[in-house]
């Protein structure tokens, strides 16, 4: 999100190219204290920056069942979001959410056997962990700012490449590029444009 500021302060502007790799960093996943793993005995933290914002456990503690369900459906595309959110809230009330492994177990029981997750051979808690991680780190919010910053630091003729890993990221990138490739971004498009937007890509 601070790409423009950091690149400008470092004297890197204009840039010939910008590459976004939106995947996770393996050293963060491998650290058992961060709570990214389904088997971690640590509390589910899931923050990329351990000093910024609430942890996943804090987010769970302060969210209502409805808010959790919306988060799981939107960021994790979890089809059983309502059932999973209800199970998480019940476990929270009973004091059973001490570790990331506890959370994974609660979600696995809520999703149940024979689910789509089982058939595709991913852990039943994958979508829930993804949703919480995205929410905690505001990943989709900062992506838009990062893309705008990239466009601002690129020289004419420069290249922007983005590697995305799920539909939420993909949608933001595609919409951003579609918008920035048009002179007028008003909807519906008027006979005479008044927005003053100029295509940059």
């Amino acid at each position: 999100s601070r790409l423009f500021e950091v690149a400008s302060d470092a004297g890197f502007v204009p840039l010939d190219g910008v590459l976004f790799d939106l995947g996770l960093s393996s050293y963060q996943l491998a650290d058992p204290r961060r709570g990214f793993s389904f088997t971690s005995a640590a509390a589910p933290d899931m923050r990329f920056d351990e000093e910024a914002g609430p942890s996943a456990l804090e987010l769970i503690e302060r969210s209502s069942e409805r808010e959790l369900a919306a988060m799981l459906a939107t960021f994790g595309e979890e089809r059983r979001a309502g059932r999973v959110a209800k199970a998480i809230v019940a476990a929270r009330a009973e004091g059973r959410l001490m570790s990331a492994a506890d959370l994974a177990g609660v979600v696995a029981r809520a999703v149940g056997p024979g689910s789509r997750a089982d058939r595709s051979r991913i852990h039943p808690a994958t979508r829930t962990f993804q949703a919480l991680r995205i929410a905690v780190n505001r990943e989709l919010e900062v992506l838009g700012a990062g893309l705008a910053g990239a466009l601002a630091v690129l020289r004419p003729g420069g290249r922007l490449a983005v590697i995305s890993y799920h539909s939420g990221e993909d949608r933001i990138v595609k919409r951003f590029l579609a918008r920035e490739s048009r002179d007028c971004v008003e909807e519906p498009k008027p006979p005479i444009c008044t927005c003053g937007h100029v295509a940059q890509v």
Side-chain angles (χ1 to χ4, degrees):
S1 64
R2 296 177 57 231
L3 190 152
F4 178 79
E5 175 190 340
V6 171
S8 299
D9 289 349
F12 292 157
V13 180
L15 293 172
D16 294 320
V18 175
L19 167 65
F20 284 89
D21 180 346
L22 304 179
L24 296 177
S25 181
S26 59
Y27 82 86
Q28 292 170 327
L29 292 177
D31 185 345
R33 298 174 300 113
R34 307 291 282 275
F36 285 106
S37 169
F38 304 130
T39 59
S40 175
D45 188 308
M46 301 189 194
R47 289 175 295 178
F48 296 145
D49 180 349
E50 293 173 282
E51 298 178 3
S55 69
L57 185 58
E58 291 168 334
L59 187 64
I60 289 169
E61 288 172 351
R62 66 173 63 162
S63 300
S64 68
E65 183 178 322
R66 175 178 280 184
E67 289 168 336
L68 276 174
M71 195 184 309
L72 301 181
T74 303
F75 297 147
E77 298 180 340
E78 173 56 69
R79 294 184 180 193
R80 293 171 172 80
R83 185 191 304 178
V84 172
K86 185 173 185 175
I88 290 173
V89 169
R92 176 184 72 189
E94 295 166 9
R96 293 189 287 119
L97 289 183
M98 304 300 289
S99 69
D102 294 336
L103 176 61
V106 167
V107 175
R109 286 188 292 277
V111 171
S115 69
R116 185 168 179 256
D118 290 332
R119 290 197 298 274
S120 61
R121 294 194 187 97
I122 64 171
H123 191 283
T126 298
R127 295 178 189 279
T128 295
F129 273 55
Q130 172 184 296
L132 290 170
R133 191 202 76 229
I134 289 172
V136 163
N137 295 291
R138 300 173 41 246
E139 292 178 38
L140 301 187
E141 293 174 49
V142 299
L143 177 55
L147 291 167
L151 206 54
V153 299
L154 282 170
R155 66 168 175 77
R159 300 294 177 102
L160 169 64
V162 184
I163 304 170
S164 63
Y165 294 86
H166 60 80
S167 59
E169 296 169 342
D170 192 52
R171 201 162 26 248
I172 289 170
V173 174
K174 285 178 176 173
R175 286 178 180 166
F176 176 82
L177 292 175
R179 182 182 194 278
E180 295 306 326
S181 66
R182 299 197 316 264
D183 280 336
C184 181
V185 294
E186 293 181 71
E187 293 293 343
K189 194 168 183 177
I192 299 172
C193 177
T194 58
C195 73
H197 186 267
V198 177
Q200 295 186 75
V201 298

